[in-house]
Amino acid sequence: MKKTLIAAGLTALTLAAGSPAEAAAGIHWGPVKSTNGRAEADVRITPFTAETFVVYGKLRDRSPSHCAYIRARFHYTGGGTGWSRARTTCSATSFRLSSDGRIRRVDVKVCLYANRKTSRCYVEKITPEIIANWPQ
């Protein structure tokens, strides 16, 4: 999925090499939606150089019959993967999903959630190369 840059996105490109205060502000990735668009996460990430990588933002649900679900799968630089704890909401809430170390890629999964089951899931793969190749 191609991302459109806005003013905040242009600023985010400089954060990877910026100061600790800038790194705390994070990189605005943008919306990640379920396949039908009823569950949506506005995603921000820390730079890939961070010792503990964090995916955070706001999770929203626009469906009266389902809730929204988000989970991240971290691909570690030393090998192996690990899942974050899942977060769900039936309205809107903030989320924070963190890794156990440095990573080379994160997969952000957003789904509808009802009766302890997920559906209409979409997975966004985020890598440092994608961010480095954003239009300037």
Side-chain angles (χ1 to χ4, degrees):
M1 178 197 297
K2 193 168 189 159
K3 296 290 173 190
T4 304
L5 289 179
I6 56 175
L10 291 172
T11 302
L13 290 173
T14 63
L15 294 180
S19 71
E22 290 173 322
I27 300 166
H28 185 235
W29 177 259
V32 178
K33 299 179 182 183
S34 60
T35 58
N36 66 358
R38 293 192 175 152
E40 177 181 343
D42 185 25
V43 174
R44 293 184 172 276
I45 59 173
T46 56
F48 279 88
T49 56
E51 188 64 37
T52 300
F53 186 85
V54 179
V55 177
Y56 62 101
K58 191 82 153 180
L59 180 63
R60 294 178 186 85
D61 172 58
R62 298 183 321 132
S63 175
S65 60
H66 296 87
C67 297
Y69 168 102
I70 189 166
R71 195 166 188 197
R73 184 175 188 192
F74 301 106
H75 298 258
Y76 293 99
T77 55
T81 60
W83 284 98
S84 70
R85 296 183 98 182
R87 291 291 311 261
T88 61
T89 186
C90 297
S91 56
T93 191
S94 297
F95 67 90
R96 180 180 167 88
L97 312 171
S98 58
S99 72
D100 291 328
R102 290 188 185 226
I103 68 164
R104 59 182 170 78
R105 179 177 125 190
V106 63
D107 303 332
V108 178
K109 181 178 184 178
V110 175
C111 310
L112 291 181
Y113 184 76
N115 301 323
R116 296 183 176 219
K117 295 181 182 176
T118 58
S119 64
R120 306 283 186 191
C121 296
Y122 177 77
V123 177
E124 183 85 26
K125 294 175 174 87
I126 305 172
T127 65
E129 294 80 17
I130 292 170
I131 294 168
N133 288 324
W134 277 351
Q136 298 192 23

